[in-house]
Amino acid sequence: MPTLRRLKTRPEFLRVARSGRKWATPGLVLQAGSAVQDAPGDDIGIGFTASRKVGNAVDRNRARRRLKAAVAEVLPQDGRAGRDYVVIARAGTLKRPYGLLLGDLRQALRRVSAPAKPRTRA
């Protein structure tokens, strides 16, 4: 089973935002990118963020705690080893029922892990 490794520095968050894919759901936004080369192959990198749009400091911390609990439950089974993920709280994170928040995370993981569809020009 892959182990979870925390992303802590701004460059790590920016690397995932630049290099990866993103999917938004009512409860969260998930960004996914490839892990750094020196990370162990079976690790999953995970970072959490909540902007002031979510609310005051108490609300942002509560939103991050809810996301951390959801990630601890879902990511070890559904996450891909060798990938880094950033979970971004939204205003709906606080009021979203926990079961739906888990569903949002699972849906976002499926969407960012799916192969990219080729774009066609009209």
Side-chain angles (χ1 to χ4, degrees):
M1 182 183 313
T3 59
L4 299 180
R5 171 181 47 86
R6 286 294 300 274
L7 305 179
K8 295 180 182 176
T9 64
R10 181 171 167 80
E12 292 174 322
F13 282 78
L14 293 176
R15 181 183 46 77
V16 173
R18 274 193 313 269
S19 69
R21 300 180 66 184
K22 173 170 92 167
W23 189 257
T25 64
L28 57 92
V29 176
L30 180 70
Q31 296 175 333
S34 57
V36 292
Q37 283 78 16
D38 60 344
D42 63 341
D43 272 4
I44 297 175
I46 184 73
F48 301 92
T49 186
S51 73
R52 281 198 250 167
K53 291 179 185 179
V54 174
N56 62 20
V58 173
D59 291 337
R60 292 193 305 270
N61 287 331
R62 182 168 177 254
R64 276 193 295 267
R65 282 194 308 270
R66 292 190 83 208
L67 292 175
K68 287 176 186 178
V71 163
E73 194 169 326
V74 172
L75 217 60
Q77 293 85 23
D78 297 341
R80 289 179 49 193
R83 300 284 303 229
D84 286 346
Y85 298 98
V86 173
V87 184
I88 303 169
R90 300 183 82 180
T93 304
L94 293 171
K95 293 186 176 20
R96 193 105 168 124
Y98 187 69
L100 293 177
L101 196 61
L102 292 175
D104 287 348
L105 182 57
R106 285 186 179 104
Q107 176 191 14
L109 279 168
R110 282 192 304 271
R111 298 296 282 211
V112 298
S113 298
K117 294 181 182 177
R119 294 186 180 186
T120 59
R121 295 195 133 201

Short mmCIF file of all heavy atoms in Angstrom, two decimals, residues 46-102:
data_model
loop_
_atom_site.label_atom_id
_atom_site.label_comp_id
_atom_site.label_asym_id
_atom_site.label_seq_id
_atom_site.Cartn_x
_atom_site.Cartn_y
_atom_site.Cartn_z
N ILE A 46 0.85 14.60 -1.02
CA ILE A 46 -0.44 15.25 -0.83
C ILE A 46 -0.24 16.58 -0.11
O ILE A 46 0.51 16.68 0.85
CB ILE A 46 -1.42 14.33 -0.06
CG1 ILE A 46 -2.80 14.95 0.05
CG2 ILE A 46 -0.90 13.96 1.30
CD1 ILE A 46 -3.56 14.95 -1.23
N GLY A 47 -0.91 17.61 -0.65
CA GLY A 47 -0.88 18.93 -0.03
C GLY A 47 -2.29 19.46 0.09
O GLY A 47 -3.18 19.09 -0.69
N PHE A 48 -2.52 20.33 1.06
CA PHE A 48 -3.84 20.90 1.31
C PHE A 48 -3.73 22.41 1.34
O PHE A 48 -2.77 22.96 1.88
CB PHE A 48 -4.38 20.42 2.66
CG PHE A 48 -4.50 18.93 2.76
CD1 PHE A 48 -3.46 18.18 3.27
CD2 PHE A 48 -5.62 18.29 2.33
CE1 PHE A 48 -3.55 16.81 3.37
CE2 PHE A 48 -5.73 16.91 2.41
CZ PHE A 48 -4.69 16.17 2.93
N THR A 49 -4.75 23.08 0.81
CA THR A 49 -4.78 24.53 0.87
C THR A 49 -6.22 25.02 0.92
O THR A 49 -7.12 24.36 0.41
CB THR A 49 -4.01 25.15 -0.32
OG1 THR A 49 -3.95 26.56 -0.16
CG2 THR A 49 -4.65 24.82 -1.64
N ALA A 50 -6.39 26.17 1.55
CA ALA A 50 -7.70 26.81 1.63
C ALA A 50 -7.46 28.32 1.62
O ALA A 50 -6.72 28.84 2.45
CB ALA A 50 -8.43 26.40 2.90
N SER A 51 -8.07 29.00 0.66
CA SER A 51 -7.88 30.45 0.56
C SER A 51 -8.88 31.18 1.46
O SER A 51 -9.77 30.57 2.06
CB SER A 51 -8.07 30.90 -0.89
OG SER A 51 -9.43 30.84 -1.23
N ARG A 52 -8.76 32.48 1.52
CA ARG A 52 -9.66 33.26 2.35
C ARG A 52 -11.09 33.28 1.82
O ARG A 52 -12.00 33.69 2.52
CB ARG A 52 -9.15 34.69 2.49
CG ARG A 52 -8.03 34.76 3.51
CD ARG A 52 -7.82 36.16 3.97
NE ARG A 52 -6.56 36.64 3.46
CZ ARG A 52 -6.20 37.90 3.46
NH1 ARG A 52 -7.01 38.82 3.92
NH2 ARG A 52 -5.03 38.25 3.00
N LYS A 53 -11.28 32.82 0.59
CA LYS A 53 -12.64 32.71 0.06
C LYS A 53 -13.46 31.70 0.86
O LYS A 53 -14.68 31.78 0.89
CB LYS A 53 -12.61 32.26 -1.40
CG LYS A 53 -12.05 33.28 -2.35
CD LYS A 53 -12.06 32.72 -3.75
CE LYS A 53 -11.40 33.67 -4.72
NZ LYS A 53 -11.37 33.11 -6.08
N VAL A 54 -12.79 30.75 1.50
CA VAL A 54 -13.47 29.72 2.29
C VAL A 54 -14.05 30.34 3.56
O VAL A 54 -15.12 29.95 4.02
CB VAL A 54 -12.51 28.56 2.62
CG1 VAL A 54 -13.14 27.56 3.57
CG2 VAL A 54 -12.06 27.88 1.35
N GLY A 55 -13.36 31.30 4.15
CA GLY A 55 -13.83 31.94 5.37
C GLY A 55 -12.67 32.41 6.21
O GLY A 55 -11.54 32.55 5.73
N ASN A 56 -12.96 32.64 7.49
CA ASN A 56 -11.90 33.09 8.39
C ASN A 56 -10.98 31.93 8.75
O ASN A 56 -11.14 30.82 8.25
CB ASN A 56 -12.51 33.76 9.64
CG ASN A 56 -13.36 32.81 10.45
OD1 ASN A 56 -13.26 31.60 10.33
ND2 ASN A 56 -14.22 33.36 11.30
N ALA A 57 -10.02 32.17 9.61
CA ALA A 57 -9.00 31.16 9.92
C ALA A 57 -9.62 29.90 10.51
O ALA A 57 -9.20 28.78 10.20
CB ALA A 57 -7.96 31.74 10.88
N VAL A 58 -10.63 30.06 11.35
CA VAL A 58 -11.27 28.89 11.95
C VAL A 58 -11.94 28.04 10.87
O VAL A 58 -11.81 26.81 10.85
CB VAL A 58 -12.31 29.35 13.01
CG1 VAL A 58 -13.11 28.17 13.53
CG2 VAL A 58 -11.61 30.06 14.16
N ASP A 59 -12.63 28.69 9.93
CA ASP A 59 -13.29 27.97 8.84
C ASP A 59 -12.28 27.28 7.93
O ASP A 59 -12.48 26.15 7.50
CB ASP A 59 -14.17 28.91 8.01
CG ASP A 59 -15.38 29.41 8.78
OD1 ASP A 59 -15.78 28.73 9.75
OD2 ASP A 59 -15.91 30.46 8.42
N ARG A 60 -11.19 27.97 7.60
CA ARG A 60 -10.17 27.38 6.73
C ARG A 60 -9.53 26.17 7.38
O ARG A 60 -9.32 25.14 6.73
CB ARG A 60 -9.09 28.43 6.38
CG ARG A 60 -9.61 29.55 5.51
CD ARG A 60 -8.50 30.39 4.93
NE ARG A 60 -7.57 30.94 5.90
CZ ARG A 60 -7.69 32.12 6.49
NH1 ARG A 60 -8.75 32.88 6.24
NH2 ARG A 60 -6.79 32.55 7.32
N ASN A 61 -9.23 26.24 8.66
CA ASN A 61 -8.65 25.09 9.36
C ASN A 61 -9.64 23.94 9.43
O ASN A 61 -9.25 22.78 9.25
CB ASN A 61 -8.21 25.49 10.77
CG ASN A 61 -6.96 26.35 10.74
OD1 ASN A 61 -6.14 26.22 9.83
ND2 ASN A 61 -6.82 27.23 11.72
N ARG A 62 -10.90 24.23 9.66
CA ARG A 62 -11.91 23.16 9.69
C ARG A 62 -12.04 22.50 8.33
O ARG A 62 -12.14 21.27 8.22
CB ARG A 62 -13.25 23.74 10.14
CG ARG A 62 -14.32 22.68 10.24
CD ARG A 62 -15.56 23.20 10.97
NE ARG A 62 -16.56 22.17 10.97
CZ ARG A 62 -17.64 22.19 10.20
NH1 ARG A 62 -17.87 23.20 9.39
NH2 ARG A 62 -18.50 21.20 10.24
N ALA A 63 -12.02 23.30 7.26
CA ALA A 63 -12.10 22.76 5.90
C ALA A 63 -10.90 21.86 5.61
O ALA A 63 -11.05 20.77 5.06
CB ALA A 63 -12.18 23.89 4.88
N ARG A 64 -9.71 22.29 6.00
CA ARG A 64 -8.52 21.46 5.80
C ARG A 64 -8.60 20.16 6.60
O ARG A 64 -8.23 19.09 6.11
CB ARG A 64 -7.25 22.23 6.17
CG ARG A 64 -6.72 23.10 5.04
CD ARG A 64 -5.32 23.59 5.33
NE ARG A 64 -5.28 24.47 6.48
CZ ARG A 64 -5.38 25.80 6.42
NH1 ARG A 64 -5.56 26.39 5.27
NH2 ARG A 64 -5.32 26.52 7.51
N ARG A 65 -9.10 20.22 7.82
CA ARG A 65 -9.25 19.00 8.63
C ARG A 65 -10.22 18.02 7.97
O ARG A 65 -9.97 16.82 7.94
CB ARG A 65 -9.72 19.33 10.05
CG ARG A 65 -8.62 19.86 10.95
CD ARG A 65 -9.03 19.85 12.41
NE ARG A 65 -10.29 20.53 12.67
CZ ARG A 65 -10.42 21.83 12.95
NH1 ARG A 65 -9.35 22.60 12.98
NH2 ARG A 65 -11.60 22.34 13.19
N ARG A 66 -11.32 18.53 7.43
CA ARG A 66 -12.28 17.66 6.74
C ARG A 66 -11.63 17.02 5.51
O ARG A 66 -11.83 15.84 5.23
CB ARG A 66 -13.52 18.45 6.32
CG ARG A 66 -14.34 18.92 7.50
CD ARG A 66 -15.66 19.48 7.07
NE ARG A 66 -16.57 18.34 6.90
CZ ARG A 66 -17.58 18.31 6.07
NH1 ARG A 66 -17.84 19.34 5.31
NH2 ARG A 66 -18.35 17.25 5.99
N LEU A 67 -10.86 17.82 4.76
CA LEU A 67 -10.19 17.28 3.57
C LEU A 67 -9.13 16.25 3.95
O LEU A 67 -8.99 15.23 3.28
CB LEU A 67 -9.58 18.42 2.75
CG LEU A 67 -10.57 19.36 2.08
CD1 LEU A 67 -9.83 20.50 1.40
CD2 LEU A 67 -11.45 18.61 1.10
N LYS A 68 -8.40 16.49 5.03
CA LYS A 68 -7.39 15.53 5.47
C LYS A 68 -8.03 14.20 5.85
O LYS A 68 -7.49 13.14 5.52
CB LYS A 68 -6.60 16.09 6.66
CG LYS A 68 -5.64 17.19 6.29
CD LYS A 68 -4.96 17.75 7.53
CE LYS A 68 -4.11 18.95 7.16
NZ LYS A 68 -3.46 19.55 8.35
N ALA A 69 -9.17 14.25 6.51
CA ALA A 69 -9.86 13.02 6.89
C ALA A 69 -10.34 12.27 5.64
O ALA A 69 -10.21 11.05 5.54
CB ALA A 69 -11.04 13.33 7.80
N ALA A 70 -10.87 13.01 4.67
CA ALA A 70 -11.35 12.38 3.43
C ALA A 70 -10.19 11.76 2.66
O ALA A 70 -10.29 10.63 2.16
CB ALA A 70 -12.07 13.41 2.56
N VAL A 71 -9.08 12.46 2.58
CA VAL A 71 -7.91 11.95 1.86
C VAL A 71 -7.36 10.70 2.55
O VAL A 71 -7.00 9.73 1.88
CB VAL A 71 -6.83 13.05 1.73
CG1 VAL A 71 -5.48 12.47 1.38
CG2 VAL A 71 -7.26 14.07 0.69
N ALA A 72 -7.30 10.71 3.88
CA ALA A 72 -6.79 9.54 4.60
C ALA A 72 -7.65 8.32 4.35
O ALA A 72 -7.17 7.19 4.35
CB ALA A 72 -6.72 9.84 6.09
N GLU A 73 -8.94 8.53 4.10
CA GLU A 73 -9.85 7.42 3.86
C GLU A 73 -9.83 6.94 2.41
O GLU A 73 -9.94 5.75 2.15
CB GLU A 73 -11.27 7.87 4.23
CG GLU A 73 -12.27 6.75 4.34
CD GLU A 73 -13.57 7.22 4.95
OE1 GLU A 73 -13.54 8.11 5.82
OE2 GLU A 73 -14.61 6.69 4.53
N VAL A 74 -9.65 7.85 1.45
CA VAL A 74 -9.82 7.51 0.04
C VAL A 74 -8.49 7.27 -0.68
O VAL A 74 -8.36 6.32 -1.46
CB VAL A 74 -10.61 8.63 -0.68
CG1 VAL A 74 -10.62 8.43 -2.18
CG2 VAL A 74 -12.02 8.70 -0.14
N LEU A 75 -7.50 8.11 -0.46
CA LEU A 75 -6.29 8.10 -1.29
C LEU A 75 -5.46 6.81 -1.20
O LEU A 75 -4.95 6.37 -2.23
CB LEU A 75 -5.42 9.31 -0.97
CG LEU A 75 -4.71 9.92 -2.16
CD1 LEU A 75 -5.69 10.37 -3.21
CD2 LEU A 75 -3.85 11.07 -1.73
N PRO A 76 -5.32 6.17 -0.04
CA PRO A 76 -4.51 4.94 -0.04
C PRO A 76 -5.06 3.86 -0.99
O PRO A 76 -4.29 3.09 -1.55
CB PRO A 76 -4.57 4.48 1.42
CG PRO A 76 -4.75 5.74 2.18
CD PRO A 76 -5.64 6.59 1.32
N GLN A 77 -6.37 3.80 -1.19
CA GLN A 77 -6.94 2.80 -2.09
C GLN A 77 -7.04 3.30 -3.53
O GLN A 77 -6.77 2.56 -4.47
CB GLN A 77 -8.35 2.38 -1.64
CG GLN A 77 -8.40 1.64 -0.33
CD GLN A 77 -8.43 2.60 0.86
OE1 GLN A 77 -8.83 3.75 0.74
NE2 GLN A 77 -7.99 2.12 2.02
N ASP A 78 -7.46 4.55 -3.70
CA ASP A 78 -7.78 5.07 -5.04
C ASP A 78 -6.69 5.92 -5.66
O ASP A 78 -6.75 6.21 -6.86
CB ASP A 78 -9.09 5.87 -4.99
CG ASP A 78 -10.28 5.02 -4.60
OD1 ASP A 78 -10.18 3.78 -4.71
OD2 ASP A 78 -11.31 5.58 -4.18
N GLY A 79 -5.70 6.37 -4.88
CA GLY A 79 -4.64 7.21 -5.42
C GLY A 79 -3.62 6.39 -6.18
O GLY A 79 -3.46 5.19 -5.96
N ARG A 80 -2.92 7.05 -7.10
CA ARG A 80 -1.88 6.37 -7.88
C ARG A 80 -0.51 6.66 -7.27
O ARG A 80 -0.16 7.82 -7.03
CB ARG A 80 -1.92 6.87 -9.32
CG ARG A 80 -3.15 6.35 -10.06
CD ARG A 80 -3.24 6.84 -11.48
NE ARG A 80 -2.00 6.66 -12.21
CZ ARG A 80 -1.77 7.23 -13.38
NH1 ARG A 80 -2.67 8.01 -13.94
NH2 ARG A 80 -0.63 7.04 -14.00
N ALA A 81 0.25 5.61 -7.05
CA ALA A 81 1.60 5.77 -6.50
C ALA A 81 2.45 6.53 -7.51
O ALA A 81 2.27 6.42 -8.72
CB ALA A 81 2.21 4.41 -6.21
N GLY A 82 3.37 7.33 -7.01
CA GLY A 82 4.24 8.10 -7.88
C GLY A 82 3.60 9.39 -8.37
O GLY A 82 4.14 10.04 -9.27
N ARG A 83 2.48 9.78 -7.80
CA ARG A 83 1.80 11.03 -8.18
C ARG A 83 1.75 11.95 -6.97
O ARG A 83 1.80 11.51 -5.83
CB ARG A 83 0.36 10.75 -8.62
CG ARG A 83 0.17 9.85 -9.80
CD ARG A 83 0.48 10.50 -11.11
NE ARG A 83 -0.28 11.70 -11.34
CZ ARG A 83 -0.94 11.97 -12.45
NH1 ARG A 83 -0.94 11.11 -13.43
NH2 ARG A 83 -1.58 13.10 -12.59
N ASP A 84 1.66 13.25 -7.24
CA ASP A 84 1.44 14.25 -6.20
C ASP A 84 0.08 14.86 -6.42
O ASP A 84 -0.33 15.10 -7.56
CB ASP A 84 2.51 15.34 -6.26
CG ASP A 84 3.87 14.88 -5.75
OD1 ASP A 84 3.92 13.82 -5.10
OD2 ASP A 84 4.85 15.59 -5.97
N TYR A 85 -0.63 15.11 -5.33
CA TYR A 85 -1.96 15.69 -5.38
C TYR A 85 -2.01 16.91 -4.47
O TYR A 85 -1.43 16.92 -3.39
CB TYR A 85 -3.02 14.69 -4.89
CG TYR A 85 -3.13 13.45 -5.73
CD1 TYR A 85 -2.50 12.27 -5.35
CD2 TYR A 85 -3.88 13.44 -6.90
CE1 TYR A 85 -2.60 11.12 -6.11
CE2 TYR A 85 -3.99 12.29 -7.67
CZ TYR A 85 -3.35 11.14 -7.27
OH TYR A 85 -3.45 10.01 -8.03
N VAL A 86 -2.75 17.93 -4.92
CA VAL A 86 -3.05 19.09 -4.08
C VAL A 86 -4.56 19.18 -4.01
O VAL A 86 -5.24 19.21 -5.03
CB VAL A 86 -2.44 20.39 -4.66
CG1 VAL A 86 -2.92 21.60 -3.86
CG2 VAL A 86 -0.93 20.32 -4.65
N VAL A 87 -5.08 19.23 -2.78
CA VAL A 87 -6.52 19.33 -2.55
C VAL A 87 -6.80 20.74 -2.07
O VAL A 87 -6.23 21.20 -1.07
CB VAL A 87 -7.00 18.30 -1.51
CG1 VAL A 87 -8.51 18.35 -1.37
CG2 VAL A 87 -6.54 16.90 -1.90
N ILE A 88 -7.68 21.43 -2.80
CA ILE A 88 -8.01 22.83 -2.51
C ILE A 88 -9.43 22.89 -1.98
O ILE A 88 -10.36 22.39 -2.62
CB ILE A 88 -7.87 23.69 -3.77
CG1 ILE A 88 -6.45 23.56 -4.35
CG2 ILE A 88 -8.20 25.14 -3.46
CD1 ILE A 88 -6.30 24.16 -5.73
N ALA A 89 -9.59 23.51 -0.81
CA ALA A 89 -10.91 23.66 -0.21
C ALA A 89 -11.71 24.72 -0.97
O ALA A 89 -11.15 25.69 -1.49
CB ALA A 89 -10.79 24.06 1.25
N ARG A 90 -13.01 24.51 -1.03
CA ARG A 90 -13.93 25.49 -1.62
C ARG A 90 -14.91 25.91 -0.53
O ARG A 90 -14.98 25.30 0.54
CB ARG A 90 -14.69 24.86 -2.79
CG ARG A 90 -13.77 24.38 -3.89
CD ARG A 90 -14.55 23.85 -5.04
NE ARG A 90 -14.96 24.99 -5.86
CZ ARG A 90 -15.67 24.90 -6.96
NH1 ARG A 90 -16.09 23.73 -7.37
NH2 ARG A 90 -15.99 25.96 -7.66
N ALA A 91 -15.71 26.93 -0.82
CA ALA A 91 -16.69 27.39 0.15
C ALA A 91 -17.65 26.26 0.53
O ALA A 91 -18.10 26.16 1.67
CB ALA A 91 -17.45 28.59 -0.40
N GLY A 92 -17.96 25.37 -0.41
CA GLY A 92 -18.87 24.27 -0.14
C GLY A 92 -18.28 23.15 0.70
O GLY A 92 -19.00 22.26 1.15
N THR A 93 -16.98 23.18 0.93
CA THR A 93 -16.33 22.13 1.72
C THR A 93 -16.89 22.05 3.13
O THR A 93 -17.06 20.96 3.68
CB THR A 93 -14.80 22.36 1.79
OG1 THR A 93 -14.29 22.46 0.47
CG2 THR A 93 -14.10 21.25 2.52
N LEU A 94 -17.21 23.19 3.72
CA LEU A 94 -17.67 23.21 5.10
C LEU A 94 -19.08 22.66 5.27
O LEU A 94 -19.36 21.97 6.24
CB LEU A 94 -17.61 24.64 5.64
CG LEU A 94 -16.21 25.22 5.78
CD1 LEU A 94 -16.28 26.70 6.10
CD2 LEU A 94 -15.44 24.47 6.84
N LYS A 95 -19.96 22.95 4.34
CA LYS A 95 -21.36 22.55 4.48
C LYS A 95 -21.68 21.23 3.78
O LYS A 95 -22.76 20.68 3.96
CB LYS A 95 -22.26 23.65 3.92
CG LYS A 95 -22.21 24.92 4.75
CD LYS A 95 -23.20 25.92 4.24
CE LYS A 95 -23.32 27.18 5.03
NZ LYS A 95 -22.33 27.62 5.87
N ARG A 96 -20.77 20.73 2.98
CA ARG A 96 -21.01 19.50 2.23
C ARG A 96 -21.05 18.30 3.18
O ARG A 96 -20.13 18.14 3.99
CB ARG A 96 -19.87 19.32 1.22
CG ARG A 96 -20.12 18.29 0.17
CD ARG A 96 -20.43 18.96 -1.13
NE ARG A 96 -20.39 17.98 -2.21
CZ ARG A 96 -21.42 17.79 -3.00
NH1 ARG A 96 -22.50 18.52 -2.87
NH2 ARG A 96 -21.35 16.91 -3.97
N PRO A 97 -22.07 17.45 3.11
CA PRO A 97 -22.07 16.24 3.94
C PRO A 97 -20.82 15.40 3.64
O PRO A 97 -20.35 15.34 2.50
CB PRO A 97 -23.34 15.51 3.51
CG PRO A 97 -24.22 16.58 2.95
CD PRO A 97 -23.30 17.59 2.33
N TYR A 98 -20.32 14.75 4.68
CA TYR A 98 -19.04 14.04 4.58
C TYR A 98 -19.08 12.95 3.50
O TYR A 98 -18.13 12.77 2.76
CB TYR A 98 -18.65 13.46 5.93
CG TYR A 98 -17.27 12.85 5.94
CD1 TYR A 98 -16.14 13.66 5.82
CD2 TYR A 98 -17.09 11.48 6.04
CE1 TYR A 98 -14.88 13.11 5.81
CE2 TYR A 98 -15.83 10.92 6.04
CZ TYR A 98 -14.73 11.74 5.93
OH TYR A 98 -13.47 11.20 5.91
N GLY A 99 -20.19 12.23 3.40
CA GLY A 99 -20.31 11.19 2.38
C GLY A 99 -20.20 11.75 0.98
O GLY A 99 -19.57 11.15 0.10
N LEU A 100 -20.80 12.91 0.74
CA LEU A 100 -20.69 13.55 -0.58
C LEU A 100 -19.28 14.08 -0.82
O LEU A 100 -18.80 14.07 -1.95
CB LEU A 100 -21.72 14.67 -0.71
CG LEU A 100 -23.18 14.23 -0.75
CD1 LEU A 100 -24.11 15.43 -0.82
CD2 LEU A 100 -23.44 13.29 -1.91
N LEU A 101 -18.62 14.53 0.24
CA LEU A 101 -17.24 15.00 0.10
C LEU A 101 -16.33 13.85 -0.31
O LEU A 101 -15.46 14.01 -1.17
CB LEU A 101 -16.77 15.62 1.43
CG LEU A 101 -15.53 16.48 1.40
CD1 LEU A 101 -15.72 17.68 0.49
CD2 LEU A 101 -15.18 16.94 2.79
N LEU A 102 -16.56 12.67 0.26
CA LEU A 102 -15.80 11.48 -0.15
C LEU A 102 -16.08 11.16 -1.61
O LEU A 102 -15.16 10.82 -2.38
CB LEU A 102 -16.16 10.28 0.72
CG LEU A 102 -15.73 10.32 2.18
CD1 LEU A 102 -16.28 9.11 2.92
CD2 LEU A 102 -14.24 10.41 2.31
#
